[in-house]
Amino acid sequence: MRPVRTALAGALLGTLLLAGCGQDGGTTTASAPTTAPASPSGDFPVTVEAGNGKVTIAKKPQRIVSLSATHTETLFAIGAGPQVVAVDDQSNHPPEAPKTDLSGFKPNVEAIVAQKPDLVIVSDDQDQVVAELGKVNVPVLLQPAATKLDEAYEEIAELGAATGNKAKADEVVAGMKTAIDGLAAQAPKDKQLTYYHELDTTPYAATSKTFIGQIYGLFGLTNIADKAPDAAGGYPKLSAEFVAQADPDLIFLADVKCCQQSKDTLAKRPGWKNLSAIENDQVIQLDDDIASRWGPRVVELAEAIGAAVSKAGTS
Amino acid sequence: MVTQAGPSRARPLWVVCALGVLAVSMIAALLDGAADISPWQVVLQVVDWLPFFQVDSGLAPVEQGLLFELRLPRVLVAAVVGGLLAMAGAGYQGVFRNPLADPYLLGAAAGAGLAATAAIVLLPATTGSIPVAAFLGAVGGVLLAYTLGNTAGRAGGTATLVLAGVAVTSFLTAIQTFVQQFKVEELQRIYSWILGDVGGGWDQLWLVLPYAAVSAVLLLLHGRMLDVLSVGDEEATSLGLRAGRVRLMVLLAASLATAAAVAVSGLIGFVGIVVPHVVRRIAGGSYRIVLPLSLIGGAAFLVLADLVARTVIAPAELPIGVVTMFVGAPFFVVVLRMTRRAAT
């Protein structure tokens, strides 16, 4: 758990100063307004607890660089879009995001610095990018991939605090919670449905320990990949014959955009054509991007899962 | 340096033994897997598939399907690919008179890797294009190395050829890495392909079989000539052998075998170098016995490696290339030590 520690200290200090001045007889008004939390930037400086420790941001950032597709989505959802000057080559949502050829996979520190950022957001500390940017005094926020829904919420709130959009971020989080809880509550859970979430044709799956697996868990679904030993990691390469024998009720494909997978291509795989999910038309094509990011569009993923569960529950 | 042939009358016996080992490996590989089916039911099901037999294995259609569509072809593809790689390794070692030569030496792996990566990155819609691309890439890599080796040095000079292979490998691998940087989201697929996989089903088997047959026949026919070649080019020529021509034929056949194996399975390391060595230690250095025994032994080795890959952390799988190296390397050292001790 990484609690948001918005430094309300500044505001508090301002109030104390005001109070102190007041005790002096209320004659001095000149010094007080400089620290008063009247303007929107009054929340700064702010200290955020990120993956790279406590990061203090002196004033509201105006030139944000995001090297993470998830965080780009979040920034635009919480109203920080106008502050974003550059996003990496994988950030494809929303369309108005200023996409560049910056790479989040192999970050080039010079190219990042050339954007004159006053805040850089990453989800991975590739090639010590955090330390490198630290050398040139560019504040970096490392917000690693969430493993739980609560972590995803926290990261959104933290991005809100760090960019001066706390109120909107809290609103987004509250909206997500309401929507996802509502969808999960509606799902019929008496059927004990099993599912298989495919990331790659090899086939790679995601277990319940992953972020995505936790979302499915909310809908009362049982993941066939959970039988894979811990040693295989949260994203085991499953045996095709195991998937065939497990015969999941629902198959969710997160390899639609990358690899054009569909019910038809699954049916053509050796030994899979008689799977009940294929015969009963319970193969769900997800949006690869939405199914791999832990930003605000998780709600859309939850909607897709919810719809599939209701359909399977009634058929 | 390879040692000369043992008594030739032992040859059929070795082949029979090796075939026995292969048969046991294949049966074991058919009996176990990630799906929880009892070996007895597998036996009944196999009997049921045989003509004129009808027995009830008690298996559901899905399970019958997975046995027939997944496990059986997988065992067969592993056998063919393992046999091809080991036989190609033996062939390269004979041509170069270098026991460290392996099927990937002449740029075959790098060419296949680059072409497969390009196919994954540029043609994501067609998964079927990867084997074709890998095949063309492997052939292209070898042709490039061969052309460079021949223009750079004296024609047929094997040392130059090997060095050209190293240069081509480095260069093509660099291009492959360069291409990967532009499609970060495909890294997983490229990585999976590089570590090898024999789970492609019957289609893959039909794809590889014709090439396997042609290259195996060609290589096996050249066993005696490789033996003659091993005494040195001048002696071979004085015995009436056209050394350059034999080299080229064996190179072509071994490269064809490598390309076919790579096309259906990705890059599976170590088989081509370890199996011929073990065979040589056990049955002597004559290529008339090393080539067929490598073919059979390589098949058995890869069938067992795949069995380990798909059962050791079932229902998850290990990439087969990891198993061949992880299990193969210590085994190799043990065989080296044992036979060395026996020899001294």
Side-chain angles (χ1 to χ4, degrees):
Chain A
M1 304 294 262
R2 286 178 287 115
V4 194
R5 285 190 204 155
T6 311
L8 292 168
L12 210 68
L13 198 72
T15 320
L16 284 174
L17 266 173
L18 271 175
C21 292
Q23 276 180 350
D24 275 351
T27 48
T28 46
T29 48
S31 66
T34 52
T35 46
S39 69
S41 60
D43 292 338
F44 289 88
V46 66
T47 301
V48 175
E49 187 100 356
N52 52 330
K54 284 185 180 139
V55 177
T56 302
I57 296 147
K59 59 182 176 47
K60 181 169 174 166
Q62 298 301 335
R63 296 190 61 83
I64 300 172
V65 171
S66 165
L67 297 179
S68 152
T70 296
H71 298 320
T72 300
E73 295 191 12
T74 300
L75 288 170
F76 277 81
I78 64 175
Q83 297 155 258
V84 177
V85 292
V87 302
D88 73 312
D89 54 359
Q90 302 299 306
S91 292
N92 52 8
H93 184 88
E96 63 266 31
K99 193 167 169 173
T100 66
D101 55 4
L102 286 176
S103 169
F105 169 70
K106 198 111 183 66
N108 181 329
V109 173
E110 279 196 32
I112 298 167
V113 172
Q115 298 286 344
K116 301 189 179 63
D118 48 12
L119 180 64
V120 175
I121 294 160
V122 296
S123 57
D124 255 308
D125 190 9
Q126 298 285 355
D127 297 346
Q128 286 86 45
V129 63
V130 173
E132 295 280 312
L133 286 169
K135 285 181 195 162
V136 286
N137 293 319
V138 174
V140 189
L141 221 52
L142 170 65
Q143 299 277 27
T147 55
K148 294 190 201 73
L149 207 43
D150 281 345
E151 281 179 17
Y153 292 146
E154 276 169 30
E155 290 193 359
I156 295 169
E158 281 161 9
L159 284 181
T163 61
N165 297 282
K166 189 169 187 313
K168 185 75 202 299
D170 290 346
E171 199 179 297
V172 166
V173 169
M176 288 171 73
K177 281 182 176 159
T178 314
I180 291 175
D181 290 350
L183 287 163
Q186 281 168 27
K189 297 193 176 65
D190 48 330
K191 281 254 185 166
Q192 297 289 313
L193 297 168
T194 57
Y195 77 99
Y196 161 60
H197 176 92
E198 177 170 288
L199 294 165
D200 174 301
T201 57
T202 317
Y204 273 89
T207 69
S208 294
K209 284 188 180 154
T210 64
F211 177 73
I212 195 114
Q214 303 225 335
I215 313 275
Y216 285 103
L218 298 175
F219 291 85
L221 297 174
T222 307
N223 191 340
I224 63 159
D226 288 349
K227 289 218 172 78
D230 285 349
Y235 300 97
K237 179 186 173 183
L238 283 185
S239 169
E241 66 175 55
F242 168 75
V243 176
Q245 196 188 33
D247 199 14
D249 299 306
L250 297 161
I251 296 179
F252 293 90
L253 298 176
D255 49 5
V256 176
K257 262 197 236 172
C258 75
C259 325
Q260 277 71 39
Q261 293 306 297
S262 64
K263 190 180 88 181
D264 294 339
T265 62
L266 288 193
K268 282 190 196 126
R269 290 193 200 168
W272 280 29
K273 65 174 177 295
N274 295 324
L275 288 186
S276 43
I278 294 171
E279 283 179 348
N280 302 333
D281 201 14
Q282 305 286 6
V283 178
I284 298 95
Q285 292 181 291
L286 299 172
D287 179 312
D288 300 11
D289 292 338
I290 295 178
S292 66
R293 296 175 189 173
W294 58 101
R297 287 200 291 169
V298 166
V299 174
E300 289 177 37
L301 175 68
E303 281 166 0
I305 298 171
V309 171
S310 327
K311 184 182 160 220
T314 52
S315 63
Chain B
M1 201 57 219
V2 290
T3 50
Q4 253 312 327
S8 63
R9 64 178 177 277
R11 189 178 168 192
L13 187 66
W14 280 123
V15 171
V16 169
C17 284
L19 284 173
V21 170
L22 175 60
V24 170
S25 314
M26 290 177 75
I27 290 166
L30 204 54
L31 292 183
D32 201 3
D36 194 15
I37 302 174
S38 82
W40 179 237
Q41 283 181 304
V42 179
V43 172
L44 287 178
Q45 189 57 50
V46 172
V47 171
D48 187 44
W49 289 334
L50 296 173
F52 313 119
F53 285 98
Q54 276 205 321
V55 282
D56 182 17
S57 62
L59 290 177
V62 169
E63 289 170 325
Q64 291 185 20
L66 76 85
L67 268 184
F68 189 73
E69 299 286 342
L70 282 164
R71 209 181 281 177
L72 181 60
R74 185 164 181 162
V75 170
L76 296 173
V77 168
V80 173
V81 167
L84 285 178
L85 289 175
M87 188 181 61
Y92 281 121
Q93 287 158 22
V95 169
F96 295 117
R97 281 187 282 168
N98 181 343
L100 295 176
D102 89 330
Y104 299 142
L105 181 77
L106 285 187
L114 171 58
T117 303
I120 291 171
V121 169
L122 301 174
L123 316 160
T126 50
T127 324
S129 65
I130 297 172
V132 181
F135 183 81
L136 295 176
V139 173
V142 173
L143 282 182
L144 187 59
Y146 190 77
T147 315
L148 285 177
N150 268 350
T151 36
R154 195 165 45 85
T158 51
T160 321
L161 201 50
V162 171
L163 291 177
V166 171
V168 166
T169 296
S170 303
F171 187 68
L172 296 182
T173 308
I175 301 178
Q176 183 202 319
T177 313
F178 181 75
V179 173
Q180 278 175 17
Q181 303 303 312
F182 292 96
K183 272 281 193 174
V184 175
E185 61 268 46
E186 302 288 2
L187 272 183
Q188 176 75 66
R189 290 179 73 207
I190 295 168
Y191 188 61
S192 308
W193 184 84
I194 284 175
L195 286 174
D197 181 24
V198 289
W202 292 106
D203 292 351
Q204 304 286 54
L205 186 69
W206 304 140
L207 196 67
V208 71
L209 264 185
Y211 302 102
V214 170
S215 56
V217 168
L218 274 177
L219 277 171
L220 294 178
L221 284 179
H222 280 82
R224 182 192 294 270
M225 294 180 222
L226 281 177
D227 281 342
V228 178
L229 216 58
S230 69
V231 300
D233 277 18
E234 284 176 20
E235 288 87 340
T237 313
S238 71
L239 289 169
L241 194 76
R242 293 164 72 181
R245 196 188 153 99
V246 171
R247 281 224 175 77
L248 186 60
M249 281 309 290
V250 174
L251 266 186
L252 282 178
S255 301
L256 182 68
T258 306
V262 166
V264 295
S265 67
L267 303 182
I268 300 174
F270 213 62
V271 182
I273 196 158
V274 70
V275 174
H277 273 275
V278 171
V279 165
R280 221 174 269 134
R281 294 266 161 182
I282 294 172
S286 163
Y287 280 97
R288 282 151 71 198
I289 188 74
V290 169
L291 283 168
L293 279 188
S294 293
L295 177 66
I296 303 166
F301 177 64
L302 204 59
V303 165
L304 289 178
D306 183 51
L307 176 63
V308 172
R310 59 199 168 80
T311 53
V312 74
I313 54 164
E317 271 183 27
L318 284 174
I320 189 169
V322 172
V323 178
T324 56
M325 287 185 263
F326 194 77
V327 180
F331 172 73
F332 188 38
V333 173
V334 168
V335 170
L336 286 183
R337 284 189 65 92
M338 274 169 52
T339 51
R340 182 145 296 168
R341 203 171 295 148
T344 50

